[in-house]
Amino acid sequence: MAEVVLIEDIEASATRLGIDLSSVDLDSIQLPPGEDFGIKSDDDDDLYQEDPLEFEAGFGNIIVVDNLPVVPPEKFEKLEGVIRKIYSQIGTIREGGIWMPVNPETKKTLGYCFIEYNTPQEAELAREKTNGYKLDKSHIFAVNLFDDFEKYMKVPDEWKAAEIKPYTPGENLQQWLTDEKARDQFVIRAGSNTEVFWNDPRQLMPELVHQRQYWTESFVQWSPLGTYLATVHRQGAAVWGGATTFNRLMRFAHPQVRLIDFSPGEKYLVTFSSHEPSNPRDTHRIVINIFDVRTGKLMRDFKGNVDEFATGGSGGVSGISWPVFRWGGGKEDKYFARMGKNVISVYETETFTLIDKKSMKVENVVDFSWSPTDPILALFVPELGGGNQPARVSLVQIPGKEELRQKNLFSVSDCKMYWQNNGEYLAVKVDRYTKTKKSTYTGFELFRIKERDIPIEVLELDNKNDKIVAFAWEPKGHRFAVIHGDGPRPDISFYSMRTTLNTGRVSKLTTLKAKQANALYWSPAGRYIVLAGLKGFNGQLEFYNVDELETMATGEHFMATDIEWDPTGRYVATAVTSVHEMENGFHIWTFSGKLLYRISRDHFYQFVWRPRPPSLLSAEKEEEIAKNLKKYSKKYEAEDQDVSMQLNEQDRRKRKLLQEQWNEWVTKWKQLHEEERQLRIELRDGVVSDEEEEYEAKEVEVEEVLDITEEVVVFDLDQE
Amino acid sequence: MRPILMKGHERPLTFLKYNREGDLLFSCAKDHNPTVWFADNGERLGTYRGHNGAVWCCDVSRDSTRLITGSADQTVKLWNVQTGAQLYSFNFDSPARSVDFSVGDKLVLITTDPFMGLPSTIQVKQIARDPNEQSSESVLTIKGPQGRINRATWGPLNKTIISAGEDAVVRVWDTETGQLLKESDKETGHQKTVTSLSKSADGSHFLTGSLDKSAKLWDARTLTLIKTYVTERPVNACAISPLLDHVVIGGGQEAVHVTTTDRRAGKFEAKFFHKILQEEIGGVKGHFGPINALAFNPDGRSFSSGGEDGYVRLHHFDPDYFNIDPIPVFLARGGTLKNEDFVA
């Protein structure tokens, strides 16, 4: 608040100066502008603070359009009309906001103009949309923001060699793989904390690696090979990693980023954001950036309306099914693709442009997926023309875009594709209408990708009307599991793509009847599977060995919401995340279903194992190790025993210490209790006993008369 | 261990108390009738009729002749244990939450709830030998702690008063002057409302249970925090075994938050912890609502629990219970003992 000048003070100084205040017309005094004579007016303060005017900082809302036709004055208005027409579609042009300078001598235009929009956003949009706009063959617009001109002006005219910094060796980002005890890491998010732990099954507890409060603003994600941990913030995403502690390796600016996705070889990071439109009638604006993870360089950005990215698929953010860009071609990160209306756009990462400079036209395509290992796309096109044109699934080789295989399917209601993780098999789950079209039944089309001509086999369940609850391929294997059935206790069947008798045909291994399961979790090493009953089944777990076709163990993690195998297939984590209010936390089990330890955490959001890159050993070497497992395991078993001995010893010592401490307390209490004995007796008026045993048990018989009734009993003497 | 189910109350249980000999069990509930039972077979002996509101707490004199009950009807009543006759009624301006006889049974400690703008109080009254000479005068009144005081009890030799309640702080007061002597540390102490407080047999240490999902063991003289027992549920009730180094704590999801029909969801278990090792050694299930009250028989061979479900469950331990060796339990940290382990 401004200093208040009292009227008395003014009068006093007036008399001192010999001025008759009454003769002064105060309104006639004009102060020089900007001068307040040290007296702050509160009115001004209010004005500035309460209503901060929108300042126009710079010229962000002005664009410069270059490469316009040079026209004489008589055509000036026509050109201006054309420009106005083009640019007023994008946003509101300010009154008199188009200025096309004219050469004062020739009276011709100079071939460029300035356009002033209401907002910088509109200007930005106009630049994006019309840069490269072809008015005609010789006039391709070059549009720039006015503010950017300054930047371009500063570019030095002469090229200077970039200063080459001396090489500083980076940290070993793979350090965690060299753990002596061959442990795996995982990250959890609980409350405001994000923590990375070693899973230490020998100690039966996790060991903290790194902990940080407010590490991320929404979620964390490991890169597919485990090198980086990505965090998501309002300003963008960041990746962390390194030898011992997690240092920030790179930042990727992307305001209001919502979703992120790594390419499978973790070379690129795709970030996604959706922005509220300034005009409520408009759709949300989508911005997708693709960064190079190591350099942080923005490789390509895609911007547009929701409609351009929405594929009709459900889920995701505002009608977008994430990831928009699906990566293919194995670990080389060569290609990525997205689906549009009637097109599949496949890009390659060398130039970040479309292959052959155009998208693939596929009428009505609704779903596509990449083979996990090869540059092969699987596409699904539903029925057209009321069944006249059958639905089809086709496999397309990239970059040639040749169709490898196609299968037509009739009366299809829906299709889902499941790739085996080595890209050897593709299962297509097909829901077909029955003849009446009232209900559907399900079958599978199984593609053997690696065999000549890609043979297709049709598989129907024993009971075709069974609903399919879940489907999962054995990683690196040839088997798959299906949960099917309608009742509260569905059946689970295991099939193999090759058996000793029938190498080329799919055959059923077994069916487990009436299981409380609705989700399948194969071990990443295959062979073992967890049959889980989540949600409605309250977290029933069955650990099943598919080689022996036997149940190893059953367990329960009450209310479990998430299950994840560690990347080696040795341990399983089950977690209750904050979708439930209670029980939050996680349990760690062995592959065979033995509960190792439990950790409770309130507000538990995430549990993610740190992935491992694929083994560097050749298949032969792996086989050799498997054969001579005993030789290798001896060493580890000895270690295990040592640790367990050590733990026992530690436990014993700890227990002893606790007991001793407790005894100290008890001794002190006993002593005090004894000292106070006399006082206590006084308080109790001389009743001596402290102890229970000292009281005297007296048996007192109390007779109570409850009721008295008089009855006349007839005594009959005659009967005798 | 087959419990005896005692169905006598129509509303949730609030408090359980054994007399010194351990032959009688007194139960308080939100229905208005404190009840006395045979502690051995669970047979109901009688009720004390006269309260007009939920009964929150009771205490019985050392010689098992007098019972005192505190109720939400803003009275604390003194009863003849044997006849069930009301001897005296102290009237307050707000609900009485806890009552506790002093050593010697000449004084009684009463806490009242904050109500209609009145702050919560801790009051000490004298108990006359002859009920006819009973006066309602308070010898001491302590005001200060914010919020409800859920439990107050006498320290050793009646020299101090220990109180705890909604503000999560455990306090020790001087009985003579009413001055605050000690306060529990905000960092290491409870983080949420303390719901229960239970003394050891000799009064040297006590256990507090809190909604912060833990129970803590304190030295009654110095208010030193000795042990903490962490569980997965808010703790409503706790008790210290007079015989073995065990404590039992009970609670569960608050009744208003119980959404699933599965009673496992609420974890309405009485959990046993090793007092010294702080390790969970087992649990006794059975209630289908949160456990509100727990008490050990003074002989340590049985305990009873009272639930939001309105039942009192009386458990006599199997012989095996007394042979539980904490060492293997402690070693098998992965899996804790379950109810079955208590069954012979």
Side-chain angles (χ1 to χ4, degrees):
Chain A
M1 216 39 183
E3 194 183 325
V4 179
V5 184
L6 290 171
I7 197 77
E8 284 89 354
D9 292 345
I10 298 172
E11 275 167 4
S13 42
T15 22
R16 192 151 38 81
L17 294 168
I19 300 167
D20 183 8
L21 265 181
S22 55
S23 68
V24 179
D25 182 7
L26 288 170
D27 291 332
S28 70
I29 299 170
Q30 295 265 332
L31 292 178
E35 178 60 89
D36 60 1
F37 290 97
I39 304 165
K40 287 227 177 71
S41 154
D42 3 342
D43 307 356
D44 289 355
D45 261 5
D46 289 354
L47 245 172
Y48 287 127
Q49 283 172 6
E50 278 179 20
D51 202 10
L53 283 167
E54 272 186 40
F55 292 112
E56 285 173 35
F59 301 98
N61 54 339
I62 299 174
I63 55 169
V64 184
V65 185
D66 216 334
N67 284 351
L68 291 175
V70 178
V71 294
E74 53 271 26
K75 279 193 177 173
F76 183 93
E77 263 180 43
K78 193 180 173 197
L79 179 63
E80 202 189 48
V82 169
I83 293 168
R84 188 178 292 281
K85 201 173 159 192
I86 296 168
Y87 283 95
S88 59
Q89 285 170 358
I90 293 161
T92 320
I93 299 172
R94 288 226 173 140
E95 220 177 279
I98 296 184
W99 185 57
M100 203 157 20
V102 193
N103 187 327
E105 283 165 27
T106 60
K107 304 285 179 206
K108 277 186 176 180
T109 61
L110 292 168
Y112 59 86
C113 78
F114 300 89
I115 300 171
E116 187 178 7
Y117 279 105
N118 255 342
T119 63
Q121 286 82 4
E122 286 169 331
E124 170 72 28
L125 192 65
R127 183 187 68 87
E128 267 169 40
K129 285 212 162 171
T130 61
N131 191 18
Y133 179 88
K134 270 187 184 171
L135 190 67
D136 56 49
K137 257 192 189 156
S138 51
H139 297 105
I140 299 168
F141 286 6
V143 185
N144 284 298
L145 288 173
F146 189 82
D147 276 354
D148 286 345
F149 262 77
E150 206 172 329
K151 192 169 83 191
Y152 297 136
M153 296 297 284
K154 277 188 191 155
V155 176
D157 289 340
E158 263 178 64
W159 181 81
K160 255 190 261 165
E163 200 183 314
I164 294 168
K165 285 179 194 156
Y167 170 74
T168 47
E171 280 185 85
N172 179 4
L173 300 180
Q174 257 84 37
Q175 175 90 18
W176 96 99
L177 293 169
T178 63
D179 180 47
E180 292 235 323
K181 298 174 204 159
R183 298 171 299 178
D184 274 295
Q185 287 189 347
F186 58 82
V187 64
I188 63 164
R189 224 152 49 73
S192 56
N193 277 330
T194 302
E195 290 152 279
V196 179
F197 288 99
W198 289 110
N199 168 36
D200 203 329
R202 279 177 181 157
Q203 309 274 353
L204 294 178
M205 63 173 113
E207 185 190 322
L208 187 68
V209 179
H210 194 68
Q211 176 187 29
R212 207 181 281 237
Q213 216 178 6
Y214 306 115
W215 200 349
T216 176
E217 280 171 52
S218 47
F219 61 94
V220 293
Q221 189 173 332
W222 293 104
S223 61
L225 307 181
T227 313
Y228 309 106
L229 180 71
T231 56
V232 179
H233 309 267
R234 230 185 352 250
Q235 303 87 346
V239 293
W240 310 71
T244 44
T245 55
F246 280 78
N247 297 319
R248 188 167 61 217
L249 303 173
M250 192 52 71
R251 266 190 294 196
F252 309 97
H254 185 159
Q256 290 166 53
V257 61
R258 297 276 293 278
L259 298 164
I260 59 170
D261 182 37
F262 281 96
S263 65
E266 63 186 31
K267 278 196 194 127
Y268 304 104
L269 178 75
V270 187
T271 57
F272 167 94
S273 67
S274 166
H275 300 271
E276 287 263 354
S278 48
N279 184 343
R281 273 170 306 170
D282 290 348
T283 45
H284 280 233
R285 265 174 54 69
I286 302 291
V287 178
I288 296 175
N289 290 330
I290 302 178
F291 295 96
D292 185 306
V293 172
R294 268 172 301 180
T295 62
K297 198 177 149 201
L298 176 65
M299 305 307 286
R300 173 89 198 244
D301 59 345
F302 297 87
K303 296 175 185 180
N305 293 330
V306 168
D307 313 343
E308 292 168 46
F309 290 95
T311 49
S314 55
V317 179
S318 48
I320 307 276
S321 62
W322 184 254
V324 170
F325 290 100
R326 297 179 198 171
W327 291 86
K331 305 282 178 248
E332 282 92 55
D333 292 347
K334 258 188 169 152
Y335 307 107
F336 60 100
R338 85 175 161 105
M339 188 167 60
K341 285 203 173 74
N342 300 329
V343 290
I344 299 279
S345 310
V346 186
Y347 301 82
E348 47 101 15
T349 52
E350 220 156 282
T351 57
F352 275 88
T353 51
L354 284 167
I355 289 183
D356 304 340
K357 303 225 165 23
K358 58 176 186 275
S359 298
M360 234 163 47
K361 269 222 174 325
V362 189
E363 280 299 316
N364 241 350
V365 62
V366 295
D367 196 12
F368 80 101
S369 62
W370 285 96
S371 155
T373 48
D374 304 292
I376 297 174
L377 269 178
L379 311 171
F380 170 61
V381 181
E383 268 172 26
L384 284 178
N388 284 335
Q389 200 181 323
R392 76 192 149 91
V393 171
S394 42
L395 298 177
V396 179
Q397 178 88 45
I398 300 295
K401 300 185 183 174
E402 310 114 33
E403 196 161 79
L404 296 173
R405 194 74 164 86
Q406 183 187 334
K407 170 94 184 191
N408 287 340
L409 303 161
F410 296 91
S411 30
V412 170
S413 82
D414 196 17
C415 251
K416 238 185 143 165
M417 296 178 271
Y418 301 92
W419 284 91
Q420 186 251 18
N421 79 331
N422 278 358
E424 286 171 57
Y425 310 106
L426 167 69
V428 180
K429 187 187 94 177
V430 188
D431 294 334
R432 289 188 177 85
Y433 291 112
T434 51
K435 283 210 173 106
T436 56
K437 292 229 162 193
K438 274 181 186 151
S439 56
T440 58
Y441 65 97
T442 308
F444 291 95
E445 307 280 331
L446 303 166
F447 293 67
R448 293 170 192 272
I449 308 291
K450 295 282 157 87
E451 285 173 33
R452 207 163 68 89
D453 293 338
I454 312 188
I456 303 172
E457 205 174 330
V458 182
L459 170 73
E460 275 180 357
L461 297 177
D462 299 344
N463 178 3
K464 324 196 268 191
N465 296 327
D466 271 1
K467 216 179 84 194
I468 305 297
V469 181
F471 177 97
W473 282 102
E474 176 182 32
K476 300 179 191 162
H478 53 89
R479 293 175 287 208
F480 60 89
V482 186
I483 304 183
H484 53 95
D486 291 318
R489 283 172 168 264
D491 298 342
I492 301 172
S493 295
F494 292 93
Y495 292 86
S496 169
M497 294 297 281
R498 55 163 196 257
T499 45
T500 40
L501 295 173
N502 260 329
T503 43
R505 282 193 61 76
V506 62
S507 58
K508 191 164 94 173
L509 299 170
T510 190
T511 295
L512 311 173
K513 291 277 182 201
K515 287 286 173 195
Q516 287 200 26
N518 50 18
L520 299 164
Y521 295 93
W522 281 94
S523 155
R527 190 168 167 191
Y528 306 107
I529 188 169
V530 175
L531 316 171
L534 306 177
K535 291 172 195 150
F537 291 129
N538 283 340
Q540 297 291 333
L541 307 169
E542 182 167 343
F543 296 78
Y544 193 79
N545 180 340
V546 186
D547 273 4
E548 309 292 330
L549 296 178
E550 63 178 17
T551 302
M552 296 182 290
T554 55
E556 186 193 37
H557 182 181
F558 188 60
M559 305 287 254
T561 54
D562 295 272
I563 294 178
E564 201 183 343
W565 282 83
D566 84 329
T568 59
R570 294 176 295 175
Y571 305 101
V572 182
T574 59
V576 179
T577 55
S578 58
V579 291
H580 293 299
E581 198 188 334
M582 310 300 282
E583 310 276 347
N584 278 200
F586 63 92
H587 295 185
I588 303 286
W589 312 70
T590 64
F591 73 97
S592 57
K594 187 182 158 218
L595 180 61
L596 292 175
Y597 59 91
R598 312 186 271 188
I599 304 286
S600 298
R601 282 299 176 83
D602 277 350
H603 304 289
F604 191 71
Y605 300 115
Q606 251 190 317
F607 179 103
V608 198
W609 288 100
R610 187 172 195 171
R612 280 171 177 261
S615 166
L616 296 171
L617 297 175
S618 64
E620 295 81 43
K621 184 78 185 164
E622 267 184 54
E623 208 165 293
E624 190 205 309
I625 290 174
K627 259 188 201 158
N628 304 319
L629 195 62
K630 281 227 170 92
K631 196 175 85 195
Y632 292 98
S633 64
K634 225 177 230 167
K635 175 183 145 205
Y636 295 103
E637 271 162 17
E639 269 178 35
D640 277 354
Q641 207 164 1
D642 282 354
V643 171
S644 109
M645 293 261 281
Q646 223 174 0
L647 275 180
N648 279 352
E649 182 58 27
Q650 267 176 23
D651 266 357
R652 214 177 53 77
R653 243 180 271 147
K654 191 178 151 201
R655 237 175 15 247
K656 211 173 143 196
L657 190 73
L658 284 170
Q659 189 71 48
E660 275 165 13
Q661 282 173 349
W662 180 256
N663 290 345
E664 246 171 70
W665 281 107
V666 171
T667 325
K668 205 169 89 190
W669 285 332
K670 272 201 178 137
Q671 188 198 335
L672 285 165
H673 199 69
E674 207 50 46
E675 280 170 18
E676 288 166 358
R677 185 182 161 87
Q678 200 53 44
L679 293 164
R680 226 174 6 253
I681 291 171
E682 272 167 40
L683 278 173
R684 284 184 180 143
D685 295 333
V687 179
V688 181
S689 77
D690 262 339
E691 305 307 324
E692 218 47 59
E693 288 76 30
E694 290 173 31
Y695 73 87
E696 211 177 306
K698 266 192 266 177
E699 233 169 81
V700 184
E701 267 184 46
V702 183
E703 276 184 34
E704 268 182 80
V705 182
L706 294 175
D707 200 7
I708 299 171
T709 41
E710 278 186 29
E711 251 180 277
V712 181
V713 182
V714 183
F715 197 73
D716 200 346
L717 286 165
D718 295 347
Q719 278 201 341
E720 274 196 38
Chain B
M1 176 167 54
R2 209 179 162 76
I4 297 166
L5 200 59
M6 291 142 77
K7 304 174 188 175
H9 288 289
E10 293 165 356
R11 296 284 318 276
L13 269 287
T14 55
F15 194 75
L16 291 166
K17 180 88 190 176
Y18 283 92
N19 66 345
R20 192 171 73 99
E21 283 82 5
D23 59 339
L24 298 178
L25 173 65
F26 299 89
S27 65
C28 304
K30 287 186 185 172
D31 62 14
H32 310 162
N33 306 319
T35 303
V36 60
W37 317 75
F38 275 121
D40 187 45
N41 56 12
E43 199 181 313
R44 180 151 71 164
L45 255 155
T47 54
Y48 300 89
R49 293 192 183 251
H51 273 302
N52 202 17
V55 181
W56 294 120
C57 193
C58 71
D59 197 13
V60 60
S61 64
R62 190 178 154 89
D63 57 6
S64 301
T65 56
R66 298 270 195 281
L67 177 75
I68 190 159
T69 56
S71 162
D73 66 3
Q74 312 194 355
T75 65
V76 168
K77 291 182 193 293
L78 205 55
W79 311 85
N80 182 324
V81 169
Q82 198 176 2
T83 63
Q86 181 184 319
L87 301 175
Y88 192 80
S89 182
F90 299 97
N91 292 315
F92 296 92
D93 299 325
S94 57
R97 180 65 53 171
S98 90
V99 289
D100 191 37
F101 279 125
S102 67
V103 177
D105 297 328
K106 288 195 209 76
L107 299 167
V108 67
L109 187 62
I110 298 166
T111 69
T112 63
D113 286 354
F115 185 65
M116 304 277 281
L118 292 168
S120 54
T121 62
I122 304 170
Q123 305 192 18
V124 178
K125 309 245 182 211
Q126 254 166 342
I127 299 292
R129 224 160 241 275
D130 183 351
N132 295 323
E133 290 165 20
Q134 182 63 47
S135 112
S136 64
E137 287 297 304
S138 286
V139 189
L140 177 76
T141 303
I142 300 169
K143 290 175 194 171
Q146 287 295 307
R148 211 157 73 194
I149 300 162
N150 280 325
R151 283 283 174 267
T153 186
W154 295 97
L157 296 177
N158 302 345
K159 277 183 183 155
T160 55
I161 292 168
I162 302 159
S163 77
E166 266 181 345
D167 62 359
V169 182
V170 183
R171 292 189 174 82
V172 176
W173 311 83
D174 188 301
T175 316
E176 290 299 317
T177 61
Q179 263 174 348
L180 180 65
L181 296 176
K182 285 186 186 74
E183 254 184 343
S184 66
D185 186 56
K186 282 239 161 57
E187 291 286 309
T188 59
H190 283 296
Q191 301 303 315
K192 286 186 182 167
T193 299
V194 179
T195 50
S196 52
L197 193 161
S198 167
K199 276 196 287 188
S200 67
D202 63 354
S204 61
H205 53 291
F206 64 93
L207 185 67
T208 54
S210 159
L211 297 184
D212 67 7
K213 303 181 185 173
S214 73
K216 288 176 191 285
L217 194 73
W218 311 80
D219 181 291
R221 291 182 180 86
T222 60
L223 199 66
T224 313
L225 179 63
I226 305 172
K227 302 278 175 192
T228 300
Y229 312 94
V230 181
T231 173
E232 296 145 333
R233 302 286 133 170
V235 179
N236 294 343
C238 58
I240 303 173
S241 167
L243 188 65
L244 299 178
D245 282 326
H246 292 172
V247 299
V248 59
I249 64 184
Q253 207 172 358
E254 263 181 74
V256 288
H257 291 143
V258 176
T259 48
T260 40
T261 47
D262 196 321
R263 72 188 138 93
R264 287 175 306 167
K267 282 257 168 78
F268 309 127
E269 255 180 289
K271 287 219 160 144
F272 279 75
F273 282 79
H274 196 274
K275 185 155 82 175
I276 302 164
L277 305 178
Q278 304 174 78
E279 288 290 325
E280 188 183 323
I281 48 180
V284 177
K285 293 174 192 165
H287 283 286
F288 46 91
I291 293 172
N292 289 341
L294 282 168
F296 261 103
N297 191 305
D299 68 4
R301 297 189 173 271
S302 67
F303 83 102
S304 54
S305 56
E308 188 78 14
D309 56 11
Y311 293 135
V312 177
R313 298 173 74 92
L314 178 61
H315 309 260
H316 289 279
F317 293 114
D318 290 318
D320 280 14
Y321 165 78
F322 304 101
N323 299 330
I324 291 180
D325 185 356
I327 293 152
V329 175
F330 194 69
L331 286 180
R333 270 178 308 184
T336 53
L337 285 182
K338 284 288 145 211
N339 198 13
E340 298 88 78
D341 300 313
F342 287 99
V343 182

